[in-house]
Amino acid sequence: MYIEKIIETISTSYATLTEECKDDLKKASKILTLDKEAKIVKEGQFADKLYFVVRGGARAYYLKNGKDITDWFAFEGEFVSAIDSFFQDSPTMYTIELLEPTTLLQISRETVFALTNKHHCFEKLGRIAVTKTMLELQERVVSIQFESALQKYTNLINARPDIIQRVQLTHIASYIGVTLETLSRIRNPKYRI
């Protein structure tokens, strides 16, 4: 019963799925409930799974010169995957770690491609999800290139007001490209210039 509700949420949020498509997706996917800090993808792995976040959150990060750089957050109602590996069938540079106890719907690459070939509605869902991701990435690139640290932080808080309660400040600082000390100054209005 629970998986039907998850699939209905996807159908409502992304693209209306036919009953046959929903049934095929139900048969080929599975629900995972994992603890905080569980890693669903590790750097160097071949990542052949797509995840829909039912409850909880995740972050994608990579290591550069031994430093952990947060590149992406995903929360309820969003898809997450190591897309470099998922689409290119190559080892990923990312690790995807859960930020809190999280429930996910896991879908294999094989299932995604099979459903895309069989059901036009699932192909549309994929197109909408990819377009949403591309637009968010474009916003992120513009933010990195043109916005001050304060603007980046403000935009993040406006887009996701609950992020401070859900994500460690070190990960937020990394995501907006500042040190933890700079983030502390940004968050304290009396030190803003």
Side-chain angles (χ1 to χ4, degrees):
M1 188 68 143
Y2 186 54
I3 196 165
E4 288 91 350
K5 187 175 180 185
I6 296 167
I7 292 170
E8 192 57 44
T9 298
I10 294 169
S11 179
T12 302
S13 302
Y14 287 87
T16 304
L17 303 178
T18 64
E19 291 306 314
E20 182 185 5
C21 182
K22 289 178 192 176
D23 192 47
D24 287 348
L25 179 57
K26 177 184 168 187
K27 290 175 189 169
S29 58
K30 69 180 187 176
I31 297 172
L32 305 174
T33 301
L34 302 168
D35 293 329
K36 178 180 180 175
E37 297 181 3
K39 292 176 177 48
I40 57 174
V41 174
K42 294 180 183 173
E43 178 186 10
Q45 283 184 332
F46 284 82
D48 63 348
K49 304 287 187 289
L50 174 68
Y51 301 92
F52 179 76
V53 181
V54 177
R55 188 186 74 241
R59 74 178 181 113
Y61 70 91
Y62 60 92
L63 297 175
K64 183 174 181 181
N65 301 324
K67 189 175 178 183
D68 170 328
I69 310 291
T70 298
D71 192 47
W72 196 260
F73 295 112
F75 296 96
E76 291 85 1
E78 298 177 328
F79 288 98
V80 65
S81 180
I83 60 172
D84 59 337
S85 182
F86 188 86
F87 288 108
Q88 297 177 347
D89 196 24
S90 60
T92 185
M93 63 185 278
Y94 291 98
T95 297
I96 300 177
E97 174 185 60
L98 302 182
L99 297 166
E100 52 197 27
T102 301
T103 301
L104 304 158
L105 183 72
Q106 177 183 280
I107 311 164
S108 72
R109 176 177 42 230
E110 181 181 309
T111 297
V112 169
F113 292 158
L115 291 177
T116 298
N117 288 332
K118 184 176 179 183
H119 300 285
H120 175 68
C121 59
F122 197 84
E123 179 183 25
K124 183 178 179 184
L125 181 151
R127 192 170 55 250
I128 290 168
V130 168
T131 300
K132 180 180 181 290
T133 301
M134 288 175 60
L135 290 170
E136 289 173 1
L137 285 171
Q138 180 188 21
E139 286 177 21
R140 180 150 163 69
V141 168
V142 168
S143 174
I144 288 168
Q145 290 182 324
F146 301 110
E147 294 177 349
S148 69
L150 176 58
Q151 287 172 310
K152 289 184 238 182
Y153 176 75
T154 302
N155 290 342
L156 180 62
I157 297 303
N158 288 339
R160 176 96 37 209
D162 62 343
I163 200 162
I164 295 295
Q165 290 77 40
R166 301 180 75 180
V167 177
Q168 292 177 23
L169 291 178
T170 54
H171 300 326
I172 293 172
S174 171
Y175 180 75
I176 65 172
V178 299
T179 64
L180 191 55
E181 294 76 18
T182 299
L183 181 59
S184 294
R185 280 195 303 277
I186 290 168
R187 294 183 68 223
N188 189 339
K190 80 177 196 178
Y191 293 113
R192 291 188 193 154
I193 298 174

